[in-house]
Amino acid sequence: CRAAIPINSDWLKPNCCRAAIPINSDTKARRTMRTLLSLVLGMGLCEAALCKEHSCAAGTKQIAGKEDTDQGNDAAATCCEAAKCSEHTCATGTKPKDGVSDTDQTADPAAVCCVAAKCSEHTCATGTKLKDGVSDTDQTADPAAVCCVAAKCSEFTCAVHTTAITANADEDQTDAPQTKCCEDKKCQDYSCPTGYGATTGQEQAAQTTDPTTACCTVDATKCASHSCAAGTKAKDASAGTDKGATDAEAATNCCEVDATKCASHSCAAGTKAKDNSAGTDKGATDAEAATNCCDALTCAEYEDCKVTEKTIDDGSTAQGSTPATTCCQVDSTVTAVAVEGTAIFVADATMEQARTAVHMMLAELLSVKTVDITVTVNSAAKTTRARRLDVFTHTATFAVHFADFTKATAGHTALTDLTKDAAETSLKTQLVAAGGKDSEDPTWTLTLQAVVDPDSCAAFNCAAGYTMKDGEGATKPATAEACCVVDDTKCLSHNCAVGTKAKAEAAGTDKGATDAEAATNCCEAAKCSEHTCAAGTKAITSKAGEDQTADPAANCCEALKCVDYMCAVGSKAKTSEADKELDSNPAALCCEDDPAVTPVPVTGAATFVAHATTEQAQSAVHEMLAALLSVNTVDVTVTVASEEKMAAAARRLNGHGGVFTHTAEFSVYFADFTKAQDGHKALSDLTKADAEAALDTQLKAAGGRLDATDGAWTLNLQAVVDPESCAAFTCPVGQRTKDGQEATKGADAETCCEAAKCSEHICAIWNATAIDAKKDEDQTADPEGVCCEVWKCKDICAVGAKPTAGQEEKGVIWDSDTNPMAWCCEDDPAVSPVPVRGNASFVYYTSSHWYAYEAIHEMLMELTSVLYDDIELSTDSRMWTWTGGTDSREWALPSVSGAVYTITAEFFVYFADLTKAEAGHKALAGLAKTDAEAFLGTLEAWTMTLEAVGLADESSCEVFTCPLGRRMKQGVEATEPSTVAACCEDDPAVTPVPVTGTATFVANATVEQAVTAVHEMLAELLTANKVDITVTVTSVDDTWFICRLGDTQGVFSSTAEFTVHFADVASATAGQKKLAGLAKAVAEASLGKQLEAAGGRSVTDAKWTLTVVDPPLSCAAFTCPVGQETKANAAATAQGATPATTCCE
């Protein structure tokens, strides 16, 4: 046992034990050990040995695929199988027996599988040869000794560049016969080929395997020194031929195309020579040459598609023999625009030569592809030149196609601007290239048609019965509505009488001068089969082929009866009422309950965007579901809620209205649970594309259509509930469905229900809360009374207040006349509320500003976990105005009346102490923009800024800003009131540098409003603190503006004198430069904004002028007198009236 299971710790280590003791006996000792090992194995401390750890016996091999199989009690049987002779390697001197490949090796594979080999089957080593007379002798284990004997040098053939050593003829070759028996030939014994001469000094050198290189020098003037290019070869006997002075001459004199190489092969149409294939063997046949030498041209390399086509440029499609068909496909984004014309000229050329010349001339002049040009030519002999019968007058009619109207216009202009001389010069060149002759006097004339914009009404074809509106040829975009009007002379404008119909394809037929003629020319009798019977009636089948007459309803239709009515699932037809005509309530008249059927509904909701009213959407979904599920429309109920979708700017400007997001809630009733499941599966399996196609068909039938841009269909289905299961059973109040019993049938309260706990109940009264101590109690039949209690005074007091003594447990009831906080709460002197202050803005759609207020209030409560009254919130709103242009925002707005507002909010959230305030501040600071927008349902970007935790007294020095040149005194933060004298002291490190100026403008504003506006404007433009700016304004009535505007008061010409202080000369210079360069329009826009904010307004042509005084020079620009130097830290100080005193010491 110790050998099998090492026991060297307090616990047996996993994976360290093996069953090393075979258990194959029933003796007591081995039974005991087997029991012990079984226990150990059962504890997971030992594992079975695998076949890959077993060594199979001789003559056997491991069974493939069993490497990871347990060995079991008989590893040889489990893991091994007999090996075949074909898998055995015979020993030296033996060979495999014939016909034993599939024989088992057994324990002695050498005897079973092998036989002695003969000397005739042995290959003697280098330097030895087969002994005479031993061919049939066994090789034994040393075949070299038994079968072979040393060979002599006289029996060895030396390499071509060496010769035999005569003296060694009778010596053994050894294992290096070339070295032992041979010696090198010398260069003096070698005759150099034509084009080469013997290399001086190499006479005694060895010839080597390349004697020409070793012994000879090429003649640089002969072909022997020239290397022919790939695909060519040296001409026969050309080595001594003069190669010439250039590489081109050498190629001609020395080389010729090698007929065996790809250079001699011409690739077929649609293919090209492979890269670097000139020197490749082309093969024995044309087919091999095509394979070895050529590659297919791909569509990516094809450039001759028409302007209305695009190339398939995937790089893998071969052009083939018809690349225009293979590689080009219609480009639906391009509508070709043609430039058409006629040219007349005289030329000594055939009709085809003339056509080719004009074709190529136009392609070159206009830089277009030849495939985009069509040319036809008619030719007549030029009789006035009878001496030259081959001279013709050619009339060429052509069309050049461009990708758009702009390019076509440019092409038209180019041809219009083409001079006669330039045209004739180009034409002559192309005529000669086409095989014609240079005519002495082509007498070129050109006539062009106007280019028609394909997007305009001029290119629009009005339908039959319509005619083009007068003066609308240039109108874009071209639509039937924009371009066409009904032609009063055609049948389209005639209304056929009741009982007749318009003749087929008669819309464009002349209707005639009288109504009688119009009735004859445009109309024919309509059949009953073409009449739609009114609701409550049906067509008389037997009269389908009869004329409708003047009263089709009476002649073609009859009243519906109960026999025609389809009762809903769960009801059945009353047989006694079959022949009664339907009334306003056919279900009650014709049907009665069917106790044998309990309808099973499939319910769901679908959303889609469509150009359709709510009624059209409802009808479309109704018909779609009935058709898809093969049910009667009476078994489908649909309700639709619609919200108008505010479209993109372009669509809105083009007048496309009536786009709604529709949400359709539906129920489809089936006769049993199985059919309902099948219906549910059919809807679940419905693809989005199929659903949209079916819906669009029904919408069009109802008078609407699916929106092509945003019409995406989405569907949510509820699970189908078996009406006989617990899932469909309604448990009594205070009980819930048992877990896992939903599918149980034979539903009743005992089977399906169990007591519900208070933790599962939601209190119904808005100011009631769950009793935490009762969360694990049963709800009973009165869960509201058992599980809930109204709020108490102790639950509602805000931070800084506490419940009034004796009122803590008193219940709270809110109504319009009662504020329980007045008697529930009192100030808590132990708590000083710590505020977190912030500002936020967002865009919101609302019918009332109050909804935006409540939305942000609720969000702040949820984020900070405070009570409603722990938040002080004020909001302001400004209606958002859409200005058109490139704005592409699309907002799905509710159908209720409302508007889009920019909401600005200021809030204070109060906490009981600093720690909680810091936690609340962190929660607000971590609010993601997307989360805020999702919570509020905003339409536009949310922004929020937070101040530090706590709130400073706005009347104290803590929030006071000292002007430049002054700094905050130490220890005066809480000092009130906050003034420069109380809060600030001189700052010796800063000498303010002023920039002064005067501005004039006209405004409808008081002096105070003008002062405020200029103050704010300067602070914003110069990024300066308002405390460092002083402004005074004088105003006088502006009589001219009063008269012009008709405003009898409040229009003033104002003069504002201002001073802006900067920290140093550099800052002052930059500020002065910015003001001096301020554009009039920018200044008036900024001033107008600030005037409106201050309660005034600017007027048109505000007559803004600005004069700015340069800032004073600094000490850095002053040269101190001899014997003085610039004061320390005074470089940025203004020189003032006495620069030597100010700047020097």
Side-chain angles (χ1 to χ4, degrees):
C1 184
R2 187 175 295 111
I5 308 172
I7 303 175
N8 53 7
S9 70
D10 292 337
W11 183 252
L12 298 178
K13 297 180 180 178
N15 302 319
C16 67
C17 305
R18 296 289 184 272
I21 302 175
I23 303 174
N24 55 10
S25 167
D26 289 332
T27 64
K28 181 177 181 181
R30 294 195 182 278
R31 282 199 302 271
T32 302
M33 193 165 296
R34 181 170 59 193
T35 301
L36 175 59
L37 288 174
S38 296
L39 288 171
V40 173
L41 286 168
M43 293 169 64
L45 302 178
C46 298
E47 62 182 8
L50 305 177
C51 281
K52 64 185 177 183
E53 300 169 302
H54 177 70
S55 297
C56 291
T60 64
K61 64 178 181 179
Q62 189 173 81
I63 300 173
K66 284 197 170 185
E67 294 84 353
D68 294 322
T69 302
D70 294 347
Q71 291 180 12
N73 292 331
D74 188 351
T78 302
C79 304
C80 305
E81 64 182 355
K84 302 298 181 183
C85 282
S86 59
E87 300 169 294
H88 177 67
T89 301
C90 291
T92 302
T94 65
K95 65 179 182 179
K97 289 180 181 179
D98 293 335
V100 297
S101 294
D102 292 329
T103 302
D104 292 345
Q105 292 180 15
T106 73
D108 188 1
V112 172
C113 304
C114 304
V115 66
K118 302 299 182 181
C119 282
S120 59
E121 301 169 295
H122 179 67
T123 301
C124 291
T126 301
T128 64
K129 64 180 182 178
L130 192 67
K131 290 179 180 179
D132 293 335
V134 297
S135 295
D136 291 330
T137 304
D138 291 344
Q139 291 180 15
T140 74
D142 188 3
V146 172
C147 304
C148 302
V149 66
K152 302 299 182 182
C153 279
S154 59
E155 300 171 290
F156 182 71
T157 301
C158 291
V160 68
H161 64 284
T162 62
T163 185
I165 302 173
T166 306
N168 291 353
D170 293 328
E171 294 190 18
D172 293 343
Q173 292 179 12
T174 74
D175 58 356
Q178 179 66 38
T179 302
K180 177 68 176 177
C181 306
C182 309
E183 63 183 353
D184 290 332
K185 292 179 181 179
K186 305 300 182 184
C187 282
Q188 64 186 9
D189 301 321
Y190 180 68
S191 296
C192 291
T194 303
Y196 289 81
T199 302
T200 304
Q202 289 291 97
E203 294 81 2
Q204 296 303 313
Q207 290 183 14
T208 73
T209 57
D210 184 7
T212 300
T213 300
C215 304
C216 309
T217 301
V218 69
D219 186 341
T221 66
K222 304 299 181 183
C223 283
S225 67
H226 180 69
S227 298
C228 291
T232 63
K233 64 179 180 179
K235 290 181 178 179
D236 293 340
S238 66
T241 303
D242 290 338
K243 67 179 183 181
T246 65
D247 288 342
E249 290 178 358
T252 301
N253 297 334
C254 306
C255 307
E256 62 185 1
V257 174
D258 189 341
T260 68
K261 304 297 182 183
C262 285
S264 67
H265 181 69
S266 297
C267 291
T271 64
K272 63 179 180 180
K274 288 183 177 179
D275 293 338
N276 303 317
S277 67
T280 302
D281 290 339
K282 67 179 184 181
T285 65
D286 287 343
E288 290 179 355
T291 301
N292 297 335
C293 304
C294 306
D295 278 332
L297 284 166
T298 66
C299 286
E301 300 169 284
Y302 186 68
E303 298 178 347
D304 286 330
C305 290
K306 293 180 181 179
V307 72
T308 55
E309 300 173 333
K310 56 186 176 182
T311 305
I312 302 171
D313 57 357
D314 58 8
S316 61
T317 303
Q319 290 183 11
S321 58
T322 56
T325 302
T326 304
C327 299
C328 303
Q329 60 184 5
V330 174
D331 187 347
S332 59
T333 65
V334 176
T335 301
V337 183
V339 173
E340 299 176 325
T342 302
I344 303 174
F345 56 94
V346 176
D348 187 352
T350 65
M351 187 183 300
E352 181 58 27
Q353 290 169 341
R355 189 197 66 78
T356 301
V358 173
H359 205 143
M360 300 308 296
M361 169 187 173
L362 291 171
E364 182 179 271
L365 287 173
L366 300 177
S367 300
V368 297
K369 299 175 183 177
T370 55
V371 292
D372 293 319
I373 302 174
T374 59
V375 180
T376 58
V377 172
N378 290 318
S379 303
K382 184 73 173 176
T383 55
T384 58
R385 301 185 185 180
R387 67 184 184 279
R388 295 176 61 192
L389 298 179
D390 52 356
V391 177
F392 294 86
T393 297
H394 300 282
T395 301
T397 303
F398 61 85
V400 185
H401 299 276
F402 294 87
D404 55 48
F405 180 62
T406 301
K407 292 178 180 177
T409 302
H412 190 279
T413 301
L415 289 177
T416 302
D417 295 343
L418 184 65
T419 65
K420 180 175 182 295
D421 288 343
E424 292 180 353
T425 299
S426 176
L427 180 63
K428 289 177 182 179
T429 301
Q430 298 299 343
L431 281 167
V432 171
K437 294 182 180 179
D438 185 355
S439 177
E440 296 175 359
D441 182 15
T443 60
W444 166 274
T445 60
L446 177 66
T447 304
L448 292 175
Q449 297 178 25
V451 181
V452 176
D453 187 342
D455 295 327
S456 69
C457 284
F460 189 79
N461 292 320
C462 292
Y466 290 87
T467 186
M468 182 67 67
K469 290 181 180 179
D470 292 337
E472 296 294 332
T475 299
K476 294 197 305 183
T479 63
E481 182 180 359
C483 305
C484 306
V485 64
V486 174
D487 189 339
D488 291 337
T489 68
K490 305 298 181 184
C491 282
L492 182 66
S493 66
H494 179 69
N495 295 319
C496 291
V498 175
T500 65
K501 65 178 181 179
K503 288 182 179 179
E505 300 183 3
T509 302
D510 290 338
K511 66 180 183 181
T514 66
D515 288 343
E517 290 178 357
T520 301
N521 297 335
C522 304
C523 306
E524 62 185 1
K527 302 298 180 183
C528 279
S529 60
E530 299 169 296
H531 177 67
T532 302
C533 292
T537 65
K538 67 178 180 178
I540 302 172
T541 308
S542 61
K543 291 190 174 185
E546 295 184 13
D547 292 344
Q548 293 181 12
T549 72
D551 188 359
N555 191 47
C556 304
C557 305
E558 62 183 353
L560 285 170
K561 298 179 180 180
C562 279
V563 71
D564 302 308
Y565 183 73
M566 184 65 67
C567 293
V569 171
S571 61
K572 61 183 179 180
K574 296 178 182 177
T575 55
S576 60
E577 309 294 330
D579 292 328
K580 284 192 176 181
E581 293 184 359
L582 300 186
D583 60 12
S584 59
N585 188 1
L589 174 66
C590 305
C591 306
E592 61 186 355
D593 288 342
D594 186 350
V597 178
T598 301
V600 182
V602 172
T603 60
T607 61
F608 54 94
V609 178
H611 297 257
T613 64
T614 299
E615 292 73 19
Q616 290 168 338
Q618 182 177 16
S619 174
V621 175
H622 204 142
E623 295 297 328
M624 169 188 172
L625 291 171
L628 287 173
L629 301 176
S630 301
V631 297
N632 296 315
T633 54
V634 72
D635 294 320
V636 182
T637 62
V638 180
T639 59
V640 172
S642 305
E643 292 183 355
E644 188 169 8
K645 185 174 181 64
M646 185 179 290
R651 291 166 61 192
R652 215 166 32 220
L653 292 174
N654 287 334
H656 295 295
V659 182
F660 293 85
T661 298
H662 299 284
T663 302
E665 297 181 351
F666 60 85
S667 295
V668 184
Y669 292 90
F670 295 87
D672 55 49
F673 181 57
T674 301
K675 292 179 180 177
Q677 286 181 310
D678 292 340
H680 188 280
K681 185 176 188 302
L683 289 178
S684 299
D685 295 343
L686 185 64
T687 66
K688 179 175 176 292
D690 289 344
E692 291 177 356
L695 179 62
D696 192 41
T697 298
Q698 297 298 342
L699 281 167
K700 288 175 179 175
R705 63 181 172 85
L706 197 66
D707 188 75
T709 304
D710 305 309
W713 163 275
T714 61
L715 176 67
N716 293 305
L717 290 175
Q718 298 179 23
V720 181
V721 177
D722 187 342
E724 298 179 2
S725 69
C726 285
F729 184 76
T730 302
C731 290
V733 175
Q735 296 188 30
R736 58 185 292 275
T737 302
K738 294 179 181 178
D739 292 336
Q741 290 294 100
E742 290 80 6
T744 302
K745 292 190 177 183
D748 55 41
E750 183 178 356
T751 303
C752 301
C753 306
E754 63 183 1
K757 302 299 180 184
C758 280
S759 58
E760 301 171 275
H761 178 67
I762 298 174
C763 295
I765 303 174
W766 77 270
N767 65 324
T769 185
I771 303 172
D772 189 62
K774 293 189 176 184
K775 63 182 179 181
D776 293 326
E777 293 185 15
D778 292 344
Q779 292 181 14
T780 74
D782 181 18
E784 197 70 20
V786 172
C787 305
C788 304
E789 62 181 353
V790 295
W791 291 349
K792 297 179 180 179
C793 283
K794 65 181 181 181
D795 301 318
I796 68 169
C797 294
V799 172
K802 63 181 179 179
T804 303
Q807 299 287 80
E808 294 89 340
E809 298 299 326
K810 188 169 183 178
V812 176
I813 297 177
W814 257 287
D815 58 38
S816 58
D817 300 321
T818 305
N819 180 9
M821 295 186 68
W823 48 267
C824 274
C825 306
E826 62 184 5
D827 288 341
D828 186 353
V831 176
S832 296
V834 181
V836 171
R837 178 181 182 180
N839 293 277
S841 68
F842 55 96
V843 176
Y844 199 70
Y845 181 89
T846 180
S847 58
S848 169
H849 177 268
W850 176 253
Y851 295 125
Y853 176 92
E854 283 298 300
I856 189 170
H857 207 140
E858 291 294 331
M859 186 177 78
L860 293 172
M861 287 174 61
E862 182 167 312
L863 286 170
T864 57
S865 301
V866 299
L867 297 176
Y868 188 93
D869 289 303
D870 290 329
I871 298 174
E872 289 181 7
L873 175 65
S874 61
T875 57
D876 192 11
S877 64
R878 178 175 294 181
M879 186 178 293
W880 186 85
T881 304
W882 179 75
T883 57
T886 58
D887 196 312
S888 62
R889 287 173 290 198
E890 291 195 26
W891 291 334
L893 301 179
S895 57
V896 298
S897 61
V900 180
Y901 293 90
T902 298
I903 306 294
T904 55
E906 182 180 22
F907 58 83
F908 295 85
V909 184
Y910 291 92
F911 298 88
D913 54 48
L914 182 61
T915 300
K916 293 179 180 177
E918 289 174 341
H921 188 282
K922 184 177 180 181
L924 290 172
L927 176 63
K929 175 177 176 291
T930 53
D931 292 340
E933 292 172 354
F935 189 101
L936 296 170
T938 65
L939 302 177
E940 191 79 343
W942 158 271
T943 61
M944 181 174 69
T945 57
L946 295 174
E947 295 186 6
V949 177
L951 178 64
D953 186 346
E954 293 188 0
S955 64
S956 69
C957 287
E958 184 178 356
V959 295
F960 188 76
T961 302
C962 291
L964 287 169
R966 311 296 291 272
R967 64 186 180 188
M968 184 66 66
K969 293 178 181 178
Q970 296 294 320
V972 298
E973 289 80 2
T975 300
E976 297 182 34
S978 55
T979 62
V980 172
C983 302
C984 308
E985 63 184 4
D986 288 341
D987 185 353
V990 178
T991 301
V993 180
V995 171
T996 60
T998 302
T1000 63
F1001 53 92
V1002 177
N1004 190 339
T1006 64
V1007 171
E1008 292 74 15
Q1009 291 168 340
V1011 168
T1012 300
V1014 174
H1015 208 147
E1016 294 289 344
M1017 170 186 173
L1018 291 171
E1020 182 180 88
L1021 289 173
L1022 301 175
T1023 318
N1025 289 322
K1026 288 187 286 186
V1027 72
D1028 295 318
I1029 303 172
T1030 58
V1031 179
T1032 59
V1033 172
T1034 56
S1035 300
V1036 295
D1037 287 343
D1038 193 306
T1039 306
W1040 185 86
F1041 269 95
I1042 290 174
C1043 294
R1044 203 189 94 183
L1045 298 175
D1047 189 343
T1048 57
Q1049 60 181 359
V1051 181
F1052 297 92
S1053 286
S1054 299
T1055 301
E1057 296 181 349
F1058 61 83
T1059 301
V1060 184
H1061 290 90
F1062 295 87
D1064 51 48
V1065 172
S1067 300
T1069 302
Q1072 186 275 339
K1073 184 177 180 181
K1074 186 169 185 179
L1075 286 175
L1078 187 62
K1080 179 175 182 291
V1082 174
E1084 291 180 354
S1086 177
L1087 179 64
K1089 180 179 74 172
Q1090 298 300 344
L1091 282 167
E1092 288 187 10
R1097 64 181 176 88
S1098 61
V1099 299
T1100 306
D1101 186 19
K1103 290 189 175 180
W1104 169 271
T1105 63
L1106 175 67
T1107 303
V1108 185
V1109 179
D1110 289 338
L1113 293 174
S1114 67
C1115 286
F1118 182 73
T1119 302
C1120 290
V1122 175
Q1124 295 186 21
E1125 63 181 1
T1126 302
K1127 292 179 181 178
N1129 301 320
T1133 302
Q1135 293 178 11
T1138 56
T1141 303
T1142 304
C1143 304
C1144 306
E1145 62 182 5

